[in-house]
Amino acid sequence: MRWFWIDKFKSFERGRCATAVKAVSICEEHMQGYFPGYPVMTPTFVIEGFAQMGGILISETREFRQNLVLAKVSRSKIHRYARPGELMSYAVNLVSLQEDGGLVEATSHIDGELHVEADLTFAQVSRDVIDRKFFEPVGLLQMLRVYGLYDVGVDENGDPLKIPEYLLEAEKTATGAYF
Amino acid sequence: MPTEQEVFEKIRAALVDALGVDDDEVTPDATLVGDLGAESIDFLDIVFRLEKAFNIEIPRAELFPEDILTNAEYVQDGKVTDEGVSELKKRMPFADLSKFEANPLVQEFGNLLTVNDMVRYVCSKVEA
C-alpha cells in the first residue's frame, strides 16, 4: 500500500496552489519511535506530505503523464512539534513551473500557528533514465480520489477538474477484469 | 531594465534561499561550487528561481554545457581540448574562462562559475 501523508485536499487550483489537512493520531506507528514516551508527528513526514501535494500540483498540469521526483528540500524550518489530537493545515504554492520540474513553497499551521515551512524542488526524470511510469494509472487515480482532488480541484477557469481520460480508461479496464 | 546591482541583489536572494548560505557569503567573486557549496541538483533549484525572479528562460546547456564536456571530440585525457575551450567560450561569453584555460581539467569546470558570471549571464538575458 502507498503511504498517504495528507488526509484530504481542502482546495486545489491548477498550476497555482493547494491546501490540505492531516489529523495527527497516536495510532500512527511512527509516532511511537521518534521520541519514545513523547509522541510527536515526525517532521520529515510533514515534508513528505508537502512533497505529495507539490508533486500532484505540478503533475496535474501535465495530466500525470511525466515522471516527477522530489529532487531537493532547499529550505525547511520546524517551528514546533505536532502532537496527537492536533490538526495540521498544509498550504503549497507553486513558485515556478518549468518543462523539467518546478519549485514549491509549503507551510503547515496548527490552530493558526506556524508549524513547519519548506521549499521543495521537483525534477522530471527523463524516460531515457527510467523507462517506466512511477505510478500505475489505477493506483494513481485511487490515491487522487482518496485525497479528494476531484471533489475540490478547479482548473485555470475555475471549473471543476476533470479526470484524464486515460486514467478512467485504465480504471475501466481493470474493473472489467474483475466484473 | 534592472541595474547590475539590482540583478546581483536578486541573484543573491536566490542563492541564499537555494543554498542556505548567508547574505555576506554571496560576493561577486564567490564560486558557486567551491565557495557556496552548490551541488548538481542545486543548479536546477537556482535556475527555477532565476527564471521566476527575472521572467526569463534559461536553456540548461547555456549555463551547464555538459554536452561539450562529455564529447570525445572536445575532451582528451580528462582535459578539454583547444577546440573544446573555444566552443565553451562561444557558449558561455559571460564566463571568465582564463583560469580554466590554463589547466582545462574537466573535473575543475564545475568550480568555475562565479556569482559575477551569473550576474553577467542574467544581464545578457534581460537585455535580449
Side-chain angles (χ1 to χ4, degrees), chain B:
Chain B
M1 185 99 58
T3 65
E4 203 170 302
Q5 184 61 28
E6 286 167 342
V7 169
F8 172 76
E9 292 299 338
K10 279 190 177 180
I11 288 177
R12 171 146 70 185
L15 294 176
V16 165
D17 285 343
L19 302 176
V21 292
D22 291 333
D23 273 18
D24 57 6
E25 291 180 77
V26 186
T27 60
D29 293 333
T31 58
L32 270 70
V33 174
D35 296 328
L36 302 181
E39 295 180 12
S40 58
I41 200 70
D42 294 321
F43 284 99
L44 193 64
D45 187 2
I46 293 165
V47 163
F48 287 159
R49 289 174 193 275
L50 296 183
E51 286 181 326
K52 179 76 178 177
F54 295 102
N55 196 24
I56 55 175
E57 196 178 324
I58 301 178
R60 307 305 182 244
E62 284 184 8
L63 274 179
F64 319 111
E66 283 182 15
D67 54 326
I68 294 175
L69 300 172
T70 54
N71 188 337
E73 193 183 331
Y74 298 129
V75 178
Q76 279 170 16
D77 302 326
K79 283 191 172 186
V80 181
T81 62
D82 290 346
E83 291 81 8
V85 171
S86 165
E87 281 301 309
L88 287 172
K89 281 182 177 172
K90 268 192 247 167
R91 181 81 64 82
M92 306 174 76
F94 53 88
D96 179 3
L97 296 177
S98 55
K99 272 190 201 162
F100 177 74
E101 217 173 344
N103 187 20
L105 285 169
V106 171
Q107 65 194 47
E108 290 298 315
F109 187 83
N111 200 20
L112 184 76
L113 210 62
T114 64
V115 174
N116 218 14
D117 292 334
M118 300 285 279
V119 172
R120 277 196 292 265
Y121 174 73
V122 169
C123 283
S124 73
K125 300 296 283 186
V126 173
E127 283 162 12

Side-chain angles (χ1 to χ4, degrees), chain A residues 89-103:
Chain A
S89 298
Y90 295 169
V92 171
N93 286 310
L94 190 51
V95 175
S96 175
L97 176 64
Q98 306 295 339
E99 197 62 26
D100 49 0
L103 179 68

Side-chain angles (χ1 to χ4, degrees), chain A residues 113-164:
Chain A
E113 185 187 348
L114 186 59
H115 162 221
V116 178
E117 55 183 330
D119 291 352
L120 279 62
T121 304
F122 294 85
Q124 188 204 317
V125 178
S126 161
R127 283 292 162 86
D128 299 337
V129 178
I130 297 179
D131 186 24
R132 66 173 175 81
K133 283 189 78 75
F134 286 175
F135 291 88
E136 56 86 20
V138 178
L140 171 65
L141 182 53
Q142 187 183 50
M143 182 177 81
L144 299 175
R145 283 192 162 129
V146 168
Y147 280 168
L149 177 67
Y150 296 104
D151 298 332
V152 297
V154 293
D155 65 16
E156 50 276 69
N157 300 315
D159 297 323
L161 288 184
K162 287 186 181 143
I163 301 173

